[in-house]
Amino acid sequence: MREEKKPNAPSQKNKSTKSNWFWPSIYASFALLFVGMVWGYNALTKPDAGDQAAVDKEKPQEEVTLETNAANETLKYPFDEELLDQVAIIQDFYDAKADASSRENALLVFKQTYVTNEGVSIAVDGKPFDVVAAMSGKVEQIVSDPFKGSEIVLTHKDGLKTIYRSVTGILVKEGDEIQQGEVLAQTAENEWNPQAGVHLHFEVQKDDVAVNPRSFLAF
């Protein structure tokens, strides 16, 4: 009798090959699935470039512009510079180191009482003129005083303040952001210093101490 051939048993080599590829394939599938989920989440939550540009466009630019301008500014005259040739300093800043004539000119007299002038009194042919901001800043205070004349106080960079007194027709209010050269009010006369007539009392302060405006401006 012819001996029957038995079927060959699956080789161990084939089993080993299948086993080596099975688990890596599973791991790779899970990794791809995880990456896809992360990418999909980011795509849903991250605004596209068009949306972001629209948001940025809506941001106010005024404050940034004011800060940039103020950082590059120096103090200017509190009036239109075209009037410079017509300007007269009626009373000067009181400087204890100045000569006797200058000190006398810087004394204000009211009811036989002498007061040292902490600014300069500016007049233009005795006529009203527009008062402008000497530097960009913020309106800190407005004082209505019919006796001394109404007053505007602006705060600026580096601890500077400018004060504009003996004004009328005030065009700004407390809290306003002001740009250099912006019209604030118009000059007037007052009862406290009647001899000056229509004028602007202009002060400059550094860290709340009055300093001579001539240190900044060539009157």
Side-chain angles (χ1 to χ4, degrees):
M1 294 179 62
R2 190 172 58 182
E3 190 175 317
E4 293 183 0
K5 293 183 179 181
K6 294 182 178 180
N8 294 330
S11 68
Q12 294 297 321
K13 183 177 180 180
N14 290 338
K15 286 183 178 181
S16 175
T17 301
K18 290 180 180 180
S19 176
N20 289 342
W21 281 101
F22 178 75
W23 290 112
S25 299
I26 296 296
Y27 293 149
S29 298
F30 276 108
L32 289 173
L33 179 62
F34 179 74
V35 170
M37 291 173 65
V38 171
W39 181 87
Y41 176 80
N42 288 337
L44 289 173
T45 57
K46 184 178 180 181
D48 61 35
D51 293 339
Q52 187 63 43
V55 171
D56 292 340
K57 190 174 181 180
E58 291 175 0
K59 292 180 180 179
Q61 299 296 319
E62 184 178 355
E63 291 185 8
V64 176
T65 302
L66 286 173
E67 290 176 3
T68 302
N69 289 343
N72 299 320
E73 285 178 358
T74 56
L75 203 71
K76 290 189 176 181
Y77 296 107
F79 49 80
D80 189 333
E81 290 192 12
E82 292 184 0
L83 299 174
L84 187 57
D85 292 338
Q86 305 170 51
V87 164
I89 302 300
I90 305 300
Q91 283 121 2
D92 219 325
F93 176 85
Y94 185 86
D95 184 353
K97 297 179 181 179
D99 58 61
S101 176
S102 297
R103 292 199 306 272
E104 183 178 353
N105 177 256
L107 290 174
L108 305 180
V109 184
F110 180 75
K111 291 185 177 179
Q112 299 181 341
T113 300
Y114 289 90
V115 180
T116 56
N117 195 15
E118 295 188 337
V120 290
S121 301
I122 304 168
V124 178
D125 297 330
K127 300 175 182 177
F129 60 91
D130 287 339
V131 177
V132 304
M135 181 180 283
S136 297
K138 185 176 182 178
V139 180
E140 179 184 87
Q141 187 179 24
I142 293 177
V143 179
S144 179
D145 188 341
F147 179 64
K148 282 191 172 183
S150 295
E151 174 181 292
I152 303 170
V153 180
L154 300 186
T155 55
H156 312 282
K157 62 175 183 176
D158 301 329
L160 285 178
K161 287 184 182 180
T162 52
I163 299 171
Y164 312 78
R165 189 182 300 139
S166 190
V167 299
T168 188
I170 296 174
L171 301 174
V172 296
K173 61 183 184 298
E174 292 181 2
D176 282 355
E177 295 287 348
I178 304 298
Q179 296 205 42
Q180 188 176 52
E182 184 174 340
V183 177
L184 306 175
Q186 196 172 61
T187 54
E189 49 189 350
N190 60 67
E191 296 180 28
W192 188 81
N193 190 13
Q195 66 270 28
V198 177
H199 72 286
L200 168 67
H201 175 82
F202 177 62
E203 291 183 23
V204 179
Q205 294 184 358
K206 171 69 174 175
D207 299 325
D208 295 322
V209 177
V211 295
N212 193 344
R214 289 183 185 270
S215 301
F216 301 89
L217 301 167
F219 284 109

